[in-house]
Amino acid sequence: MTWSMAEDILPMIAFTVAMVAVLMVPVRPGGTFDANAKGFFTASILCYFISSWASILGHFGLFPTFLDPAVTSIELLWVPFMAFGVYALYSRQQLADAASSQHAVKRAGEMLESVMETAPAGIVVLDDAGSITFANGEARRLLDIVGDDPSALMSSDWSVRISPDHDRAEPSRRDFRALVVAEPQHDTPVLVSWPNGWHRHLSVNTAPFENGAGGVGGAVAAFVEREPASPTHAR
Amino acid sequence: MVVTAGAVNTAFKLVAALVFMPVMYSIGRQIRMPEAARYFLVGVVALIGSFALSVIGQQTGLNAEWFRWLRHLVVAFAGFSLAWAAWQARRHELSPAGGHR
């Protein structure tokens, strides 16, 4: 073995090990490595792997000399392959992050929906005009909303009066506009009346939320019946 | 001074590596595998160093045994560094946080 051959063996061993290590990186769902990243890194290291082996074989006269320019050209490819590999890794990471965030949002939404549906209080989401855009099961029962479709929320025939027992009671409205204010409300008495004379006294808490422009975009209102329903109140 | 084809080739690799290096570095920094990224970076820098040594050797005619050994050692160091980076990446991918979120 000549010294020059010994020089070539060391890089050959190094890049063989690197090649094996890259091939052993697993491609897993949700992981950072995907087939593209692994392929580009493998191709990049393969460039030097081939080059090292070509040098070794050259010492034994086993490597055809006409392939020397090809080996030289192959070495040129390692830079773009390496860059593509890093970019593929980064893209995969971004996609995995987006999928993870989407999953987290979906899970949070499902959890919130469960909390809403199991809460013993009626919970509604009001838009800036005081119209109901969401109502949980208890709210649907208390407000006599029938049907799950959004139009059912809009077609109720009640009239709403805020602070009915107070001297400065709000006039009756067909929506909950008076509850959509900048400050949170606590234990606000609300009278909901139907055309047939049936009515419910509710105690309402509200929390406003902002719209994109920094104004009040609506409110979340939670309410319970102030007094148990009596036969005279039954519809 | 005669510029050899080999020197042009190596110089091209060197320039390409130096051009791509900031891109690879800035993207690589954002990948959350710090151990793998560090050794990957070391490996790439070592390979660029070997290009530089190669260009110097080819242009100056410096082809002493120690110089060739130095160049090959740098290339081998780059190879082992990339191998270690890949191994760290493998460890990361097999860890509970690395996949199957």
Side-chain angles (χ1 to χ4, degrees):
Chain A
M1 184 192 288
T2 62
W3 273 113
S4 60
M5 186 176 161
E7 290 167 12
D8 285 328
I9 284 176
L10 200 56
M12 182 270 288
I13 293 171
F15 279 95
T16 304
V17 172
M19 178 66 112
V20 171
V22 168
L23 289 174
M24 284 176 74
V25 177
V27 174
R28 304 176 73 193
T32 309
F33 260 83
D34 65 356
N36 291 333
K38 191 170 175 176
F40 282 126
F41 283 125
T42 304
S44 176
I45 290 176
L46 193 64
C47 294
Y48 271 86
F49 180 80
I50 291 171
S51 169
S52 305
W53 275 100
S55 294
I56 298 292
L57 292 175
H59 287 289
F60 294 102
L62 295 174
F63 191 78
T65 50
F66 70 91
L67 285 178
D68 282 341
V71 172
T72 309
S73 305
I74 284 171
E75 283 183 12
L76 287 177
L77 292 173
W78 87 270
V79 177
F81 280 153
M82 202 60 104
F84 289 149
V86 173
Y87 185 72
L89 209 62
Y90 177 68
S91 303
R92 173 61 185 251
Q93 182 180 280
Q94 296 293 95
L95 286 173
D97 285 355
S100 176
S101 304
Q102 193 180 19
H103 180 65
V105 168
K106 189 180 168 195
R107 220 170 52 175
E110 287 171 354
M111 196 175 71
L112 188 63
E113 201 172 319
S114 303
V115 170
M116 291 265 198
E117 287 306 322
T118 54
I123 300 172
V124 294
V125 178
L126 306 171
D127 64 14
D128 56 350
S131 301
I132 296 175
T133 56
F134 169 85
N136 72 344
E138 181 64 3
R140 285 171 185 273
R141 187 186 71 79
L142 289 173
L143 298 176
D144 196 33
I145 298 170
V146 181
D148 289 333
D149 58 307
S151 63
L153 300 174
M154 312 293 287
S155 60
S156 296
D157 51 358
W158 64 66
S159 61
V160 178
R161 199 166 185 214
I162 312 296
S163 304
D165 306 328
H166 200 276
D167 293 341
R168 295 166 63 191
E170 294 275 337
S172 287
R173 292 183 185 276
R174 306 274 300 174
D175 52 50
F176 291 88
R177 195 176 310 174
L179 291 173
V180 184
V181 291
E183 295 298 318
Q185 308 286 309
H186 295 285
D187 290 332
T188 305
V190 171
L191 177 66
V192 181
S193 309
W194 280 262
N196 63 357
W198 188 64
H199 57 268
R200 280 191 194 279
H201 287 275
L202 304 176
S203 177
V204 183
N205 289 352
T206 65
F209 55 83
E210 286 188 2
N211 58 16
V216 179
V220 176
F223 49 84
V224 290
E225 209 164 6
R226 290 180 74 188
E227 55 202 55
S230 63
T232 54
H233 289 160
R235 196 177 191 184
Chain B
M1 185 171 67
V2 179
V3 179
T4 63
V8 170
N9 182 299
T10 313
F12 183 81
K13 280 194 290 188
L14 181 61
V15 171
L18 290 174
V19 167
F20 273 95
M21 193 63 196
V23 180
M24 282 198 271
Y25 181 71
S26 59
I27 295 175
R29 272 185 66 189
Q30 295 175 63
I31 293 169
R32 290 186 296 273
M33 285 192 285
E35 286 299 306
R38 187 176 305 140
Y39 289 103
F40 169 77
L41 200 65
V42 169
V44 171
V45 168
L47 271 180
I48 292 172
S50 80
F51 296 161
L53 288 175
S54 188
V55 171
I56 292 166
Q58 282 160 337
Q59 286 310 108
T60 60
L62 181 62
N63 202 23
E65 193 171 287
W66 69 267
F67 188 80
R68 284 187 286 108
W69 263 103
L70 175 67
R71 190 159 57 80
H72 282 102
L73 277 176
V74 172
V75 175
F77 176 74
F80 282 123
S81 190
L82 292 176
W84 189 242
W87 188 254
Q88 293 295 325
R90 181 176 185 274
R91 281 185 60 187
H92 176 271
E93 291 297 284
L94 290 176
S95 68
H100 291 297
R101 270 178 249 265

